[in-house]
Amino acid sequence: MKIVKLFDGVYLVDGKLATENIEKRHRVYGEELIHANNTEYRLWNPYRSKLAAAIINKLKTLEIKQGSSVLYIGSATGTTSSHVSDIVGNDGVVYCIEISERNMRQFLNSCENRENMIPILADAGKPEQYSDIVSECDVLYQDISTRNQAEILLRNAKFLKRGGIAYFAIKSQSIDISKSPNEIYNNELKVLEKDFNMLEKIDIEPYEKKHMFAVLRKK
Ligand SMILES: C[S@@+](CC[C@H](N)C(=O)[O-])C[C@H]1O[C@@H](n2cnc3c(N)ncnc32)[C@H](O)[C@@H]1O
């Protein structure tokens, strides 16, 4: 079996993206577990995760590392955030914000033994709801399908340390179906210009259509 390290905690296992499973023998979304060199890897499906798609499409900046603290907005049922949890390991923390009770219930079932994940049922548009729980973070990750995506990222930027990285998956279809995706991406990123420098813009096709994956550094 051929293992290639792409980033800290992120591998290609026989050409397939994977993280090292910190919750042995447990799956979160039916993903395959592979054993090699006394390690259990969880395959990471780019059709189910925009971060995986961005890594495969040549993301350069992955500042999610062992020990990182991450504020993850839009954790849904835990697909991507569980891989983030693998990468940061037990010295790191992933604060997972999700507005849907239904998604949160499933999330709690599949991630309950991951001690580095802190589930928070809240509206990310109202960060004051969780400002007592979340401390300053190294990384902000946002993947939500609402109209005011950039505005919500900006409201949550107060939790991100200066120089910290924001990963922002922009879904154009949730913002305005009458405008071209490029016009929407430019409008969203303009909202962030004052507070962030743009590092990378990654097209995540063919894994996701009408999405842009942006990497920004907080000024
Ligand atoms: C595309 S899904 C996220 C998928 C997830 N990031 C993954 O890769 O595993 C978007 C999620 O954002 C949640 N969401 C939408 N608006 C939100 C808000 N204002 N606050 C928190 N979560 C929100 C939705 O309920 C949904 O679960």
Side-chain angles (χ1 to χ4, degrees), residues 48-50 72-76 78-81 97-100 103 122-125 141 143-146 152:
R48 301 278 302 269
S49 167
K50 291 160 201 121
Y72 190 111
I73 295 174
S75 47
T79 303
T80 302
S81 56
I97 313 294
E98 174 53 52
I99 200 169
S100 150
N103 284 347
D123 177 357
Y141 186 98
D143 175 17
I144 54 174
S145 26
T146 47
I152 291 182

Side-chain angles (χ1 to χ4, degrees), residues 100-164:
S100 150
E101 285 185 25
R102 189 164 170 220
N103 284 347
M104 184 52 87
R105 261 196 301 278
Q106 196 178 327
F107 175 89
L108 290 175
N109 282 337
S110 35
C111 300
E112 64 173 335
N113 294 320
R114 288 182 169 264
E115 287 176 10
N116 63 6
M117 293 180 101
I118 316 277
I120 302 172
L121 181 66
D123 177 357
K126 297 175 182 156
E128 62 281 4
Q129 291 180 342
Y130 44 88
S131 52
D132 288 349
I133 305 170
V134 176
S135 354
E136 190 179 65
C137 289
D138 304 310
V139 172
L140 173 56
Y141 186 98
Q142 182 175 298
D143 175 17
I144 54 174
S145 26
T146 47
R147 277 186 71 83
N148 53 343
Q149 293 168 39
E151 179 56 38
I152 291 182
L153 188 102
L154 210 49
R155 281 186 214 161
N156 283 276
K158 66 175 181 174
F159 298 108
L160 184 62
K161 71 178 186 190
R162 216 164 149 192

Side-chain angles (χ1 to χ4, degrees), residues 21-214:
N21 194 5
I22 62 162
E23 197 196 355
K24 301 284 175 273
R25 295 179 297 283
H26 283 263
R27 293 175 172 83
V28 174
Y29 57 104
E31 68 280 18
E32 195 179 333
L33 305 180
I34 294 184
H35 296 89
N37 309 335
N38 292 326
T39 303
E40 185 174 278
Y41 295 95
R42 278 197 312 132
L43 293 192
W44 190 0
N45 185 343
Y47 288 96
R48 301 278 302 269
S49 167
K50 291 160 201 121
L51 180 56
I55 292 172
I56 289 177
N57 283 3
K58 306 276 180 268
L59 174 79
K60 292 193 205 75
T61 319
L62 189 63
E63 291 208 7
I64 302 172
K65 301 178 173 151
Q66 194 160 33
S68 298
S69 53
V70 179
L71 173 57
Y72 190 111
I73 295 174
S75 47
T77 53
T79 303
T80 302
S81 56
S82 65
H83 287 285
V84 171
S85 148
D86 281 345
I87 299 169
V88 304
N90 284 320
D91 293 334
V93 63
V94 191
Y95 299 101
C96 297
I97 313 294
E98 174 53 52
I99 200 169
S100 150
E101 285 185 25
R102 189 164 170 220
N103 284 347
M104 184 52 87
R105 261 196 301 278
Q106 196 178 327
F107 175 89
L108 290 175
N109 282 337
S110 35
C111 300
E112 64 173 335
N113 294 320
R114 288 182 169 264
E115 287 176 10
N116 63 6
M117 293 180 101
I118 316 277
I120 302 172
L121 181 66
D123 177 357
K126 297 175 182 156
E128 62 281 4
Q129 291 180 342
Y130 44 88
S131 52
D132 288 349
I133 305 170
V134 176
S135 354
E136 190 179 65
C137 289
D138 304 310
V139 172
L140 173 56
Y141 186 98
Q142 182 175 298
D143 175 17
I144 54 174
S145 26
T146 47
R147 277 186 71 83
N148 53 343
Q149 293 168 39
E151 179 56 38
I152 291 182
L153 188 102
L154 210 49
R155 281 186 214 161
N156 283 276
K158 66 175 181 174
F159 298 108
L160 184 62
K161 71 178 186 190
R162 216 164 149 192
I165 295 288
Y167 296 96
F168 181 24
I170 310 172
K171 182 176 184 179
S172 66
Q173 293 293 87
S174 299
I175 295 172
D176 191 341
I177 49 167
S178 70
K179 291 193 179 126
S180 78
N182 276 338
E183 189 181 350
I184 290 168
Y185 304 145
N186 289 339
N187 290 345
E188 287 296 283
L189 294 172
K190 216 168 178 38
V191 174
L192 303 173
E193 245 171 33
K194 198 166 122 307
D195 298 87
F196 287 91
N197 289 317
M198 171 63 63
L199 301 186
E200 294 183 55
K201 289 181 194 175
I202 299 174
D203 180 354
I204 51 175
E205 287 213 25
Y207 307 106
E208 284 282 356
K209 295 196 189 331
K210 302 198 170 162
H211 276 77
M212 123 98 65
F213 193 88

